[in-house]
């Protein structure tokens, strides 16, 4: 089968840039429909699937007989990808049609060449693209983008919340594509009736309408529990800023509470004292506000004041003393430690107290002193139902307060929050009945077939609207628990799942679902309907609950998937937070999907020790299950295409003399290889911003590596370790050079080099050592790292003597001082001298100490054309100096003056990054990485300015004048 573009080259910089930018986009992004953890960026998903289906020019020698012509065609495909990944082109049909046309062109070539295939009629139908399947669909980015590219999409997952998300994104919208809204307001509006309702826009309009209906109904039932706050004359006495609001009743946006425990001081044992992590309410310039505790004889009150407090540091920390659960008693200054708080909370004696009220003013937030009326109103709420399902207290991902009295999911919510959520949950069912009653025959037939049975009539449509309304309920829950906090710098809520866990929150923000700010139903509907509006809804799709290790859906399909990452996150445990509410609202719609009280957990493919008695058994479970899942793909997927598999690589899990080792990475690779895959490529997809390129002393997920896999030949030969090493030494330097010439970021170089290295390893059925034992994956990875390091070191031969000295000195000392005697010996070995290095302007030598100059210390008037001792070291660091002070346009001027020296500078930057990454020199690593990443743009700007242009290297070895 022909090689696909993804097996040869990718415009990684454009994909990574678009993926990083996407993380800051909220309006209309599918992630705002329903929360899911660690979604793949749409840009990366779209680019990978496109490159997975389109032929690489090297596989078309009749059309592109020379390397130059192949490279030119490859660059044309790159330009399509570069447009395809832009967020603003997500729904641009012109751009999408161009991508779809390329996919069809490659597909028809495959059909023509396989006309004699024994299963040609089924596998190679030139009139129908192969379908797509993701067996670990999760948040649904991959099936959604496959659908957007014109493929029939299939999604499956063991987790019912993930299955429902995929139904909402890819399965439901095509059923009702082009349908006008059915609500009475739309039907009575002649403009609405005459309008063309493309895609799921009519469905989105009905979700808006019936969501508003739910809000109005809820207001009739429970609004007395959400009173407005009146600004009185007494409030204005110390708050002149409130004078314009006297006598007005303002909508409350949030009630800010603090948790309390009994004072450990016997003199105040009857006083419940606050565990407040801050007393600052707003830190916005000109809008500062804070809480001032007022101590009475045997109690205390809270008063809200505007401006900055006198003791700002104490106000910022509230009653908190240090990291963790350590506070001081507001009455006596007695220390309240974690042990005491746990005893009190586990005994059910942790309470809460209202600290402040946030109200909606005229285009501003108003912070007001709490009132007894508002505190009592909240405490009077009595929900008729609550989610009493127990939380899994063994997992690390659930409330870091699992020792603080949280036993059931209901414990995460206040009584008033439970009342609101149960009311809205009831209204989801009532809204479905209302939709069913409102549907005119002219729009949808009186069809009682259920949505779960593939119905497309009136009953199914009503249930479809109900799914999206239930999702709005999930959004309210995410900002409507006692784990939600208030961000004083933004004047907004920090949702429950601000990260992939439920953290303990000591002072929490209770939202008002009837307001129009964050946490309200209106805000939830606005975000959701923007997503529904933009869903492609162009091909049939299906989402089902199934175990990836046993599924049959992948047969004859294109597969791209994002499996669980060893032991990172137990999504099943976290998903229960939403599941308990979705089940209450939608169990009648999807009884099979919500058959269990909580999300199934036993078969979830994560190496979680608490489920398997020990870490070793947990690892065995993951390896066995993932191997079976990968084995299904090896035997089922369409033979014309490689399989692409995402893996979130940890930047550092364990460092050894041979490099970074990641147990999860090795275990995952082992499953893929054991299943029978040959790995033909690894592409680092980086979605973090520049500040996260090197996670300083952390174990953060640094990259998603996309593995490109083909089924390994059953007759694959056996190789010795020596043969494996020889082939690595022969092929890896060429692959490395191609990656560097393609301007891959230094931070991604090691991961990308794994691809060609593992391609050699997995080409063989076995690689055996001198004793006839299989060479483990860990050893293979270590050898790849070793040869990568040797190859980079060999590039030092291209550098001048002064640069070779500086490189060796930098590896040992960085920019810090070292002994003159050591420097003198090293300089002689490198055929230079300390005096000469000082003359070259790269070294400072004083008082028996030697130090390399930092980029910021180099002279701003440096002119490389008149430098009589020009070094590559100077070139790199002056480029960094100018880039960081004057940007890419300034660096372009220097680039032009350097001429051919610039390309050698890029090689040195790669080498220096590798050293910094190993030595944990974060800031320097960012500088070298940034220089390489900016190289193409600097060269382009230099050319546009009309400066003499050097030969610029482009991807995979060709040059352009």
């Amino acid at each position: 089968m022909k090689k696909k573009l993804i097996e040869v080259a990718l415009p990684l910089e454009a994909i990574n840039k678009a993926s990083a930018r996407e993380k800051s986009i909220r309006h209309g992004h599918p992630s705002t429909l329903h929360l899911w953890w660690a979604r793949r960026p749409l840009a990366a998903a779209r680019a990978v699937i496109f490159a997975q289906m389109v032929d690489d020019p090297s596989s078309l020698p009749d059309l592109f007989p020379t390397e130059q012509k192949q490279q030119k065609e490859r660059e044309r495909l790159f330009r399509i990808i570069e447009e395809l990944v832009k967020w603003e082109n997500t729904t641009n049909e012109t751009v999408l049609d161009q991508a779809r046309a390329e996919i069809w062109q490659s597909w028809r070539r495959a059909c023509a060449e396989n006309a004699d295939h024994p299963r040609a009629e089924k596998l190679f139908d030139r009139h129908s693209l192969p379908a797509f399947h993701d067996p670990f669909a999760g948040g649904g980015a991959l099936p959604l983008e496959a659908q957007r590219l014109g493929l029939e999409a299939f999604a499956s997952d063991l987790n019912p919340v993930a299955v429902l998300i995929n139904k909402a994104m890819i399965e439901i919208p095509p059923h009702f594509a082009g349908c006008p809204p059915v609500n009475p307001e739309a039907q009575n509006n002649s403009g609405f009736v005459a309008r063309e309702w493309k895609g799921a826009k009519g469905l989105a309009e009905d979700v808006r309408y019936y969501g508003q209906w739910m809000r109005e109904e809820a207001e009739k039932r429970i609004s007395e529990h959400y009173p407005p706050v009146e600004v009185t004359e007494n409030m204005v006495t110390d708050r002149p800023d409130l004078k314009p609001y006297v006598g007005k009743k303002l909508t409350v946006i949030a009630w800010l509470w603090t948790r309390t425990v009994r004072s450990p001081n016997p003199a105040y044992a009857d006083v419940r004292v606050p565990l407040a992590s801050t007393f600052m309410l707003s830190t916005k310039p000109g809008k500062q506000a804070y809480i001032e505790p007022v101590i009475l004889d045997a109690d205390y009150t809270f008063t809200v004041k505007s401006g900055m407090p006198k003791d700002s540091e104490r106000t910022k920390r509230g009653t908190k003393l240090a990291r963790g659960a350590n506070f001081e008693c507001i009455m006596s200054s007695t220390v309240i430690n974690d042990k005491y708080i746990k005893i009190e909370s586990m005994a059910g004696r942790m309470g809460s107290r209202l600290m402040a009220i946030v109200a909606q003013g005229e285009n501003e937030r108003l912070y007001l002193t709490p009132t007894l009326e508002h505190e009592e109103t909240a405490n009077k709420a009595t929900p008729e139902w609550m989610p009493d399902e127990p939380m899994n207290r063994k997992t690390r991902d659930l409330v870091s307060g699992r020792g603080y009295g949280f036993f059931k999911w209901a414990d995460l919510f206040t009584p008033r929050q439970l009342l609101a959520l149960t009311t809205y949950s009831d209204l989801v069912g009532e809204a479905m009945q209302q939709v069913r009653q409102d549907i005119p025959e002219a729009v949808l037939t009186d069809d009682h077939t259920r949505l779960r049975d593939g119905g497309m009539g009136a009953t199914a449509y009503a249930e479809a609207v109900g799914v999206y309304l239930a999702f709005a309920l999930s959004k309210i829950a995410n900002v409507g628990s006692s784990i939600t906090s208030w961000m004083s710098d933004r004047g907004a809520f920090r949702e429950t799942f601000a990260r992939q866990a439920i953290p303990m929150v000591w002072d929490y923000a209770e939202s008002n679902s009837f307001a129009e700010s964050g946490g309200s139903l209106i805000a939830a509907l606005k975000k959701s309907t923007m997503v529904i509006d933009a869903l492609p809804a162009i091909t049939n799709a299906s989402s089902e609950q199934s175990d990836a290790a046993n599924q049959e859906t992948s047969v004859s399909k294109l597969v791209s998937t994002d499996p669980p990452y060893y032991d990172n996150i137990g999504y099943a445990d976290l998903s229960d937070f939403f599941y308990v509410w979705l089940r209450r609202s939608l169990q009648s719609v999807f009884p099979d999907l919500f058959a269990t009280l909580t999300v199934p957990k036993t078969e979830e493919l994560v190496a979680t020790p608490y489920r398997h008695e020990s870490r070793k058994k947990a690892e065995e479970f993951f390896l066995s299950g993932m191997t079976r899942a990968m084995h299904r793909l090896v035997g089922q997927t369409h033979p014309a295409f490689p399989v692409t598999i995402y893996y979130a690589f940890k930047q550092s899990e364990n460092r050894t003399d041979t490099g970074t080792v990641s147990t999860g990475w090795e275990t995952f690779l082992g499953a893929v290889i054991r299943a029978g895959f040959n790995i033909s490529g690894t592409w680092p997809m980086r979605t973090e911003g520049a500040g996260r390129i090197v996670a300083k002393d952390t174990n953060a997920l640094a990259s998603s590596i996309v593995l490109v896999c083909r089924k390994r030949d059953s007759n694959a030969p056996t190789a010795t370790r020596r043969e494996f090493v020889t082939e690595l030494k022969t092929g890896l330097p060429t692959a490395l050079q191609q990656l560097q010439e393609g301007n891959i970021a230094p931070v991604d170089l090691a991961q990308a080099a794994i691809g060609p290295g593992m391609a050699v390893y997995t080409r063989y059925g076995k690689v055996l050592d001198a004793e006839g034992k299989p060479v483990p994956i860990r050893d293979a990875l270590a050898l790849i790292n070793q040869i990568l390091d040797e190859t980079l070191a060999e590039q030092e031969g291209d550098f001048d003597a002064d640069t070779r000295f500086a490189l060796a000195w930098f590896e040992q000392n960085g920019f810090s001082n070292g002994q003159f005697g050591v420097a003198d010996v090293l300089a002689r070995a490198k055929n230079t001298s300390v005096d000469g290095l000082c003359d070259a302007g790269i070294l400072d030598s004083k008082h028996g100490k030697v130090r390399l100059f930092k980029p910021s210390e180099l002279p701003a008037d440096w002119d490389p054309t008149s430098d009589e001792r020009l070094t590559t070291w100077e070139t790199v660091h002056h480029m960094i100096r100018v880039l960081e002070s004057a940007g890419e346009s300034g660096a372009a001027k220097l680039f032009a003056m350097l001429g051919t020296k610039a390309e050698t500078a890029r090689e040195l930057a790669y080498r220096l990054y590798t050293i910094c990454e190993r030595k944990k020199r974060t800031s320097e690593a960012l500088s070298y990485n940034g220089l390489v990443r900016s190289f193409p743009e600097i060269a382009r700007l230099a050319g546009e300015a009309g400066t003499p242009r050097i030969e610029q290297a482009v991807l995979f070895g060709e040059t352009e004048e």
Side-chain angles (χ1 to χ4, degrees):
M1 294 296 175
K2 282 184 167 53
K3 272 192 175 183
K4 299 300 177 180
L5 183 64
I6 199 167
E7 295 178 284
V8 180
L10 281 180
L12 271 185
E13 183 68 17
I15 297 169
N16 290 342
K17 183 178 179 181
S19 297
R21 180 191 170 207
E22 195 178 305
K23 294 189 75 173
S24 63
I25 294 169
R26 309 306 301 158
H27 296 299
H29 196 283
S31 63
T32 61
L33 184 63
H34 194 288
L35 186 144
W36 188 259
W37 306 269
R39 290 172 180 262
R40 292 306 96 213
L42 305 184
R46 202 151 56 238
V48 166
I49 294 169
F50 174 83
Q52 198 175 343
M53 299 193 75
V54 172
D55 296 333
D56 184 74
S58 64
S59 65
L60 304 168
D62 292 345
L63 296 174
F64 310 105
T66 66
E67 288 188 8
Q68 289 81 1
K69 289 184 178 181
Q70 290 169 16
Q71 182 59 30
K72 187 176 181 181
E73 172 64 8
R74 201 172 284 130
E75 288 170 356
R76 185 187 70 84
L77 295 173
F78 281 6
R79 288 193 292 273
I80 292 174
I81 294 176
E82 287 162 4
E83 289 300 310
L84 191 64
V85 297
K86 292 178 180 176
W87 169 253
E88 55 269 25
N89 288 337
T90 304
T91 58
N92 185 324
E93 285 300 312
T94 301
V95 172
L96 292 169
D97 280 343
Q98 187 179 15
R100 292 167 190 154
E102 290 293 336
I103 290 171
W104 270 103
Q105 188 175 32
S106 290
W107 174 240
R108 287 186 178 123
R109 276 196 294 260
C111 293
E113 291 169 5
N114 289 277
D116 297 331
H117 191 284
R119 298 175 61 206
E121 187 175 344
K122 185 173 182 179
L123 288 177
F124 295 97
D125 179 0
R126 69 186 308 274
H127 301 292
S128 178
L129 287 172
F132 172 92
H133 180 225
D134 180 357
F136 296 100
L142 304 179
L144 178 68
E145 294 311 309
Q147 187 181 55
R148 202 186 305 279
L149 290 172
L151 280 66
E152 185 177 4
F154 290 80
S156 58
D157 203 290
L158 190 62
N159 191 309
V161 176
V163 174
L164 194 62
I165 291 171
N166 279 274
K167 282 184 179 293
M169 291 205 305
I170 65 169
E171 182 180 309
I172 295 174
H175 280 331
F176 306 103
C179 287
V182 303
N183 68 77
E185 183 181 283
Q187 293 301 314
N188 294 329
N189 186 321
S190 58
F192 270 41
V193 173
R195 178 177 154 188
E196 182 183 1
W197 295 90
K198 291 184 177 180
K201 292 184 180 297
L203 182 60
E205 186 61 37
D206 278 332
V207 173
R208 287 189 191 96
Y209 177 88
Y210 291 101
Q212 181 63 38
W213 177 88
M214 279 176 55
R215 181 186 182 278
E216 292 168 1
E217 288 297 311
E219 208 162 11
K220 294 174 188 175
R221 303 177 193 188
I222 61 172
S223 61
E224 71 270 18
H225 296 283
Y226 292 86
V229 60
E230 183 176 357
V231 179
T232 64
E233 289 285 355
N234 287 339
M235 292 182 182
V236 178
T237 305
D238 297 323
R239 293 280 304 278
D241 59 305
L242 297 178
K243 193 169 184 180
Y245 298 100
V246 172
K248 292 185 178 180
K249 292 185 177 181
L250 306 176
T251 299
V252 176
I253 295 170
W255 291 269
L256 307 184
W257 301 80
T258 180
R259 300 192 197 276
T260 61
V261 292
R262 293 185 307 178
S263 172
N265 188 317
Y268 299 98
D270 293 332
V271 182
R272 293 187 172 277
V273 294
L275 306 176
S277 60
T278 182
F279 285 138
M280 286 302 302
L281 296 172
S282 174
T283 58
K284 287 185 175 182
K287 299 289 183 180
Q288 293 95 337
Y290 63 97
I291 298 164
E292 184 174 88
V294 179
I295 309 299
L296 306 175
D297 289 339
D299 203 355
Y300 62 92
T301 61
F302 292 122
T303 299
V304 172
K305 296 194 171 184
S306 60
M308 284 297 291
K310 292 179 181 178
D311 189 349
S312 59
E313 287 306 312
R314 183 177 179 81
T315 302
K316 283 179 183 177
R317 68 173 175 84
T319 61
K320 207 166 190 301
L321 290 176
R323 187 175 181 179
N326 295 284
F327 296 82
E328 65 178 344
C329 172
I330 199 171
M331 304 299 295
S332 63
S333 298
T334 304
V335 172
I336 310 173
N337 62 28
D338 179 63
K339 184 178 179 181
Y340 177 82
I341 295 170
K342 283 184 175 178
I343 291 171
E344 289 292 291
S345 58
M346 293 295 280
R349 292 193 293 268
M350 186 159 64
S352 60
R353 188 154 178 175
L354 188 61
M355 291 196 299
I357 296 172
V358 186
Q360 182 62 57
E362 293 292 332
N363 299 316
E364 64 176 335
R365 299 276 192 264
L366 297 176
Y367 296 88
L368 307 174
T369 296
T371 68
L372 183 60
E373 174 202 357
H374 275 259
E375 188 159 1
E376 289 178 344
T377 299
N379 292 331
K380 287 177 183 177
T382 307
E384 294 182 1
W385 180 88
M386 60 182 67
D388 282 331
E389 290 78 11
M391 297 171 64
N392 186 347
R393 294 169 55 78
K394 295 180 181 179
T395 175
R396 66 185 182 186
D397 301 321
L398 289 190
V399 190
S400 48
R402 55 184 176 269
Y404 298 106
F406 296 96
F407 298 97
K408 306 182 299 293
W409 287 104
D411 295 336
L412 294 181
F413 303 91
T414 69
R416 181 161 60 178
Q417 288 172 333
L418 289 169
L419 176 64
L421 289 168
T422 52
T423 300
Y424 283 122
S425 181
D426 290 338
L427 284 166
V428 170
E430 293 178 32
M432 287 190 281
Q433 294 176 16
Q434 189 65 43
V435 176
R436 183 69 185 80
Q437 293 170 14
D438 289 343
I439 296 177
E441 283 282 347
V443 177
L444 287 168
T445 59
D446 188 16
D447 183 355
H448 290 273
T449 306
R450 308 298 296 274
L451 183 63
R452 63 176 180 263
D453 299 320
M456 298 173 65
T459 298
Y461 186 79
E463 292 175 337
V465 173
V467 169
Y468 298 106
L469 295 178
F471 276 16
L473 173 64
S474 285
K475 295 181 78 65
I476 295 174
N478 193 25
V479 189
S481 79
S482 67
I483 304 298
T484 302
S485 55
W486 187 255
M487 294 184 286
S488 59
D489 57 337
R490 302 182 191 179
F493 295 96
R494 178 181 286 109
E495 60 194 28
T496 301
F497 287 104
R499 58 189 176 90
Q500 296 174 336
I502 302 178
M504 183 59 185
V505 171
W506 298 106
D507 26 74
Y508 59 90
E510 184 185 9
S511 62
N512 180 358
S513 65
F514 298 121
E516 295 192 8
S517 56
S520 71
L521 180 61
I522 296 302
L525 289 167
K526 185 177 180 181
K527 289 182 178 179
S528 297
T529 52
M530 287 178 70
V531 177
I532 302 168
D533 266 337
L535 291 173
I538 58 173
T539 63
N540 290 331
S542 174
S543 174
E544 64 179 14
Q545 185 178 25
S546 67
D547 183 349
N550 300 310
Q551 56 83 24
E552 298 285 343
T553 313
S554 294
V555 174
S556 302
K557 293 181 179 65
L558 172 80
V559 169
S560 182
T561 191
D562 182 19
Y565 306 143
Y566 189 57
D567 64 347
N568 283 347
I569 303 293
Y571 293 145
D573 289 310
L574 294 180
S575 296
D576 280 340
F577 178 90
F578 297 112
Y579 181 87
V580 293
W581 295 107
L582 291 169
R583 184 175 188 270
R584 187 170 191 270
S585 301
L586 298 174
Q587 188 180 16
S588 64
V589 180
F590 300 108
D592 293 339
L593 199 59
F594 294 104
T596 55
L597 290 175
T598 58
V599 173
K601 299 175 179 65
T602 305
E603 296 305 316
E604 184 183 28
L605 271 181
V606 286
T608 310
Y610 78 83
R611 292 183 192 164
H612 303 283
E613 300 177 8
S614 69
R615 178 164 290 279
K616 182 179 180 181
K617 287 186 177 180
E619 183 174 326
E620 289 172 353
F621 168 81
F622 178 84
L623 180 58
S624 172
M626 191 58 70
T627 301
R628 284 186 289 117
M630 293 298 112
H631 187 73
R632 306 296 285 184
L633 299 183
V634 170
Q636 293 179 353
T637 55
H638 200 291
F641 306 101
V643 172
T644 54
I645 306 169
Y646 291 74
Y647 185 82
F649 183 82
K650 281 190 174 181
Q651 182 70 11
S652 61
E653 220 172 68
N654 182 29
R655 289 179 181 275
T656 69
D657 293 338
T658 54
T660 300
V661 173
S662 165
T663 302
W665 175 228
E666 292 169 10
T667 306
F668 181 75
L669 273 177
V672 172
I673 295 167
R674 183 183 295 183
F677 272 126
N678 172 40
I679 297 171
S680 56
T682 53
W683 298 102
M685 298 291 175
R686 184 165 297 280
T687 61
E688 301 292 346
R692 291 286 297 167
I693 285 174
V694 179
K696 186 177 181 181
D697 297 327
T698 69
N699 200 16
L701 294 175
S703 287
S704 286
I705 298 181
V706 177
L707 283 80
V708 186
C709 306
R710 293 268 192 180
K711 182 178 180 179
R712 186 166 59 248
D713 190 337
S714 58
N715 297 318
T718 298
T720 64
R721 183 182 185 277
R722 181 186 293 275
E723 289 170 333
F724 171 54
V725 170
T726 299
E727 196 167 347
L728 275 182
K729 288 183 175 180
T730 301
L732 200 57
T734 302
L736 177 62
Q737 184 180 0
Q738 291 171 340
L739 289 168
Q740 288 179 321
E741 289 172 349
N743 213 68
I744 189 169
V747 69
D748 292 324
L749 186 63
Q751 285 97 313
I754 290 170
M758 291 308 294
V760 176
Y761 181 77
T762 57
R763 189 179 303 149
Y764 299 106
K766 291 179 182 178
V767 177
L768 304 177
D769 63 18
E771 297 178 1
K773 296 179 181 178
V775 173
I777 291 172
R778 173 171 292 196
D779 290 358
L781 289 171
L783 285 168
I784 293 168
N785 283 333
Q786 178 185 325
I787 293 169
L788 172 63
D789 235 23
E790 290 173 3
T791 304
L792 288 171
E794 285 172 7
Q795 291 180 347
E796 293 180 22
D798 297 333
F799 305 146
D800 54 86
D802 290 351
T803 297
R804 291 198 298 273
F805 165 88
L807 189 58
W809 186 261
F810 180 79
E811 184 161 10
Q812 294 299 317
N813 302 288
F815 291 111
S816 300
N817 281 322
Q819 296 294 327
F820 174 86
V822 176
D824 185 52
V825 171
L826 178 62
R828 293 173 190 275
K830 297 294 182 182
N831 198 28
T832 185
S833 66
V834 173
D835 288 342
L837 291 160
C838 290
D839 291 340
I842 64 175
L843 198 71
D844 184 37
S845 177
K846 292 178 181 176
H847 312 300
K849 300 289 184 182
V850 171
R851 179 177 67 87
L852 291 167
F853 288 118
K854 297 178 181 179
S856 58
E857 297 175 304
L858 296 173
D861 59 352
W862 181 68
D863 182 353
T865 61
S866 60
D867 191 327
E868 295 181 356
R869 191 163 176 158
L870 183 63
T871 66
T872 305
W873 183 269
E874 282 179 286
T875 300
V876 164
H877 294 85
H878 275 289
M879 285 284 287
I880 289 173
R881 173 184 61 79
V882 176
L883 179 63
E884 294 181 349
S885 62
E888 290 172 341
S889 58
K893 296 176 183 177
L894 185 56
F895 181 95
M897 298 169 70
L898 285 165
T900 55
K901 287 282 185 182
E903 187 57 39
T904 310
R906 181 164 62 171
E907 291 179 8
L908 178 59
Y910 272 111
R911 179 67 177 144
L912 288 168
Y913 173 83
T914 304
I915 292 171
C916 290
E917 196 273 340
R918 188 170 62 247
K919 298 283 187 178
K920 295 186 178 181
R921 297 172 187 165
T922 305
S923 59
E924 289 92 345
L926 287 170
S927 294
Y928 300 126
N929 189 72
L931 176 61
V932 173
R933 294 180 70 178
S934 293
F935 232 76
E937 181 63 10
I938 292 170
R940 186 188 68 79
L941 291 171
E944 284 185 356
T947 51
R949 191 172 180 187
I950 65 169
E951 283 193 343
Q952 181 193 342
V954 292
L955 193 61
F956 285 69
E958 298 303 323
T959 59
E960 63 179 16
E961 294 298 329

